[in-house]
Amino acid sequence: MWIVIGCGARRAVQDFVVLFCSIRRNGKSLGQMAREELGKIGGFTALITVLLIMIILLAVVGLVW
């Protein structure tokens, strides 16, 4: 039970931090923020990484479902 609650709380903190950073930068996405901080090549790499993470997450949800 402690693992489930702890993972949920940690995830909520991560979501809140990303939302807070996005609001401070006028609602920009995570990829746009990465492009501003890391430059064009780093931003593109971050966008591809986020896309691949989302694909993996959808595949896991598909397997579980």
Side-chain angles (χ1 to χ4, degrees):
M1 189 67 170
W2 177 249
I3 293 173
V4 173
I5 293 170
C7 289
R10 189 171 349 145
R11 177 65 186 185
V13 170
Q14 177 194 9
D15 289 345
F16 182 76
V17 169
V18 172
L19 178 64
F20 178 76
C21 292
S22 177
I23 289 172
R24 287 187 55 105
R25 295 177 183 259
N26 298 322
K28 293 183 179 173
S29 70
L30 190 58
Q32 290 171 332
M33 289 187 291
R35 187 179 306 141
E36 285 181 358
E37 294 295 324
L38 302 174
K40 289 191 176 202
I41 295 173
F44 180 74
T45 304
L47 281 171
I48 296 298
T49 304
V50 169
L51 177 65
L52 291 175
I53 289 170
M54 290 299 162
I55 290 172
I56 292 169
L57 287 173
L58 285 173
V60 169
V61 168
L63 286 173
V64 171
W65 194 267

